[in-house]
Amino acid sequence: MIFVEKLQALRQLMVAKKVDAYIITAADPHISEYLPAHYKAIPFACGFTGSAGTLVITQNFAGLWTDSRYFTQAETQLSGTGYELVKLKVPHTSEYINWLLEVLPKGAKVGFNHQLITVALALEMQNSLTQREIEIIDVDFISTIWTDRVGLPQANAFLIGEEAAGLTISAKINQVRDALKLNGADYHFISSLDDIAWLFNLRGKDVDYNPVVLSFALIAPADVKLFINTQKLLQTDINILNQQGITLHPYYKVTEALKNLPKDAQVFIDPKRTCFGLYQCLPPNTKIISGINPSTHLKSLKNNTEINHIGKAMLNDGVALTKFFKWMEDHLGKERITEWSAAEKLATFRAEQTSFVGLSFNTIAGYNANGALPHYSVTAESNQEILADGLFLVDSGGQYLYGTTDITRVMPIGNCSSSQADDYTLVLKGLIEGSKLIFPEGTKGYQIDSICRKPLWEHAINFGHGTGHGIGFFLNVHEGPQNISPANVDIAFKPGMVTSIEPGIYRPGKHGVRIENLVLCIPQGNSEFGDFLTFETLTLCFIDTTIINKALLAPDQIAWLNRYNQMVFEKLQPILSDEEAEWLKVKCQPI
């Protein structure tokens, strides 16, 4: 069934059920960013493969609402499908609600699958639409027409020990319980997979790139329940969980457990990471206490054990990247290398490293114009041969048993224009300014964001994505609660947070530049003005200096760059071959 036929089938079901607008979200019941194949409804319905978007269908219009990262991709993928791109003015917002208010008459019905939408978004829609006497109902038309849908993943799962995680499961649960007491809650329902993975020292393969397991958790005053397919676990791991005071229950039993909570229960939930369908299972008189999951805050603060292990992962990643860029330089012009084959080669070098588990996201390998697409994903149709002319952007990362990596580098190849050199240098300035920043305790991500963007703003340049995101410990490559972006996120940076810094410049049809390192927030010192923090750079991969416009760099920025490249060489040289070390030494020469 082609996309136009699927759209027609959905509209026929809408007529039959008297639904005036049908919404399809990019979500699963755990509100995950990356989805198991079973829940990839948007690619099934319209072919769009970006990680952020919402489909809204009426009898007269079908649109995909997404943000600027995906405008070019969406226009290409939606061609001929019957869907149109609707460009979000503000990323990560539900602007289609206002559109529905404009086009739907009083008494209309809006349907969506309540299992695949957050509590926060569902309540926002309910509050907005019911004021116009528009009803929202729970419907799942996708399952009706998706006849060859794959089942839920059944991959094995496993526990990581205290020697890797730094804390026992029971110690983490006690930390969460302390937070619940402060919030006046006696129960806590968790459905976000990375929170559960952190809390139970649990890892798996149910979602591509994210080492998580489909599961739910319910913390009660006297016990802790984990809802999971126990066939995924070894008996030894089940015994460990039981010894830590955790009882295991079938995955699908979660709805029954929620319905059977005491009527006077005070339940803490994260409304942005809990689906509306499970929220509706709570007894009517339940007191809901809303907030960010306590585990989200706790896991963002890496302990010393995790920090030490992350350092090992960075060494492994640095070796793989050095081997890759040397291979690129040695083989370009001598054999045919494409975006696809380069990404595959990089994955091969990572796979050779100790404790490698898999990639942390789909590698973005964009040559020249394709590098101008921030979330570019190479396909058979878009795959470009990399020639000795221009810029090659590689954004990639690995999952290791002892950490998660995410790095972007731009490789100048052959002839590069002065415009490309200037863009490269300005992006580097933004990275350096964020990396060497010293800031007072209590500083938020949006304050740091403006400092990273300042070198670009001075040249009337900006970019449409955030400057940085949190990183998990052998967990999701995107993690909260902190970030670095223009959004007014009320989360202060604290020692132990690992975050990316990744400014960029994108010139559609020409080239893209993004340079990304991971940094650890650490104490800097104190004075009569209070405590101050700074960043320690964790990523170990040289920053190419061959096309830098040195005139655009201040002396302190040049000094930072030289120190960074020297550190990269000193840490990687002992674990490289003599030939690789000599090659890297040249790349790390001061400018």
Side-chain angles (χ1 to χ4, degrees), residues 435-449:
S435 301
K436 69 183 184 67
L437 185 65
I438 297 172
F439 51 95
E441 193 175 60
T443 297
K444 314 292 175 60
Y446 59 86
Q447 296 169 299
I448 298 171
D449 180 81

Side-chain angles (χ1 to χ4, degrees), residues 462-513:
N462 201 10
F463 54 93
H465 58 75
T467 302
H469 54 82
I471 305 281
F473 171 73
F474 182 29
L475 260 179
N476 294 5
V477 74
H478 294 155
E479 174 180 283
Q482 85 281 12
N483 69 18
I484 303 175
S485 78
N488 187 9
V489 176
D490 191 24
I491 299 293
F493 270 70
K494 296 179 180 179
M497 288 180 168
V498 176
T499 312
S500 70
I501 299 179
E502 46 183 309
I505 295 175
Y506 310 97
R507 298 191 184 276
K510 296 180 180 178
H511 63 263
V513 177

Side-chain angles (χ1 to χ4, degrees), residues 2 77 145 166 242 411 483 531 590:
I2 62 175
Q77 293 181 327
I145 69 169
N242 291 158
M411 182 179 183
N483 69 18
D531 294 328

Side-chain angles (χ1 to χ4, degrees), residues 103-119:
V103 302
L104 294 180
K106 288 184 179 180
K109 290 183 180 180
V110 174
F112 51 86
N113 187 339
H114 288 190
Q115 297 289 329
L116 307 180
I117 195 166
T118 68
V119 173

Side-chain angles (χ1 to χ4, degrees), residues 92-148:
H92 311 297
T93 57
S94 49
E95 294 172 5
Y96 54 86
I97 295 178
N98 289 332
W99 181 82
L100 289 170
L101 289 170
E102 292 174 2
V103 302
L104 294 180
K106 288 184 179 180
K109 290 183 180 180
V110 174
F112 51 86
N113 187 339
H114 288 190
Q115 297 289 329
L116 307 180
I117 195 166
T118 68
V119 173
L121 180 53
L123 293 179
E124 180 188 354
M125 278 204 280
Q126 191 175 62
N127 293 336
S128 298
L129 297 178
T130 53
Q131 291 180 14
R132 290 280 303 275
E133 299 178 22
I134 297 172
E135 182 183 358
I136 64 170
I137 61 173
D138 185 10
V139 290
D140 178 13
F141 295 145
I142 283 289
S143 293
T144 302
I145 69 169
W146 197 350
T147 55
D148 60 347

Side-chain angles (χ1 to χ4, degrees), residues 160-219:
I160 60 173
E162 183 183 356
E163 72 282 357
L167 285 172
T168 63
I169 301 167
S170 57
K172 291 181 176 181
I173 290 172
N174 287 338
Q175 287 182 336
V176 171
R177 281 199 163 117
D178 289 342
L180 295 179
K181 289 178 183 177
L182 291 175
N183 285 279
D186 47 11
Y187 288 83
H188 179 30
F189 176 61
I190 314 171
S191 58
S192 44
L193 300 181
D194 58 330
D195 284 301
I196 293 170
W198 176 85
L199 185 60
F200 295 98
N201 288 341
L202 176 67
R203 301 294 189 271
K205 299 178 180 179
D206 283 352
V207 180
D208 289 344
Y209 310 118
N210 298 335
V212 295
V213 189
L214 295 185
S215 50
F216 298 97
L218 182 62
I219 298 178

Side-chain angles (χ1 to χ4, degrees), residues 416-432:
C416 293
S417 68
S418 60
S419 172
Q420 290 171 328
D422 288 350
D423 285 351
Y424 183 92
T425 308
L426 291 175
V427 168
L428 177 58
K429 282 170 67 77
L431 171 77
I432 294 172

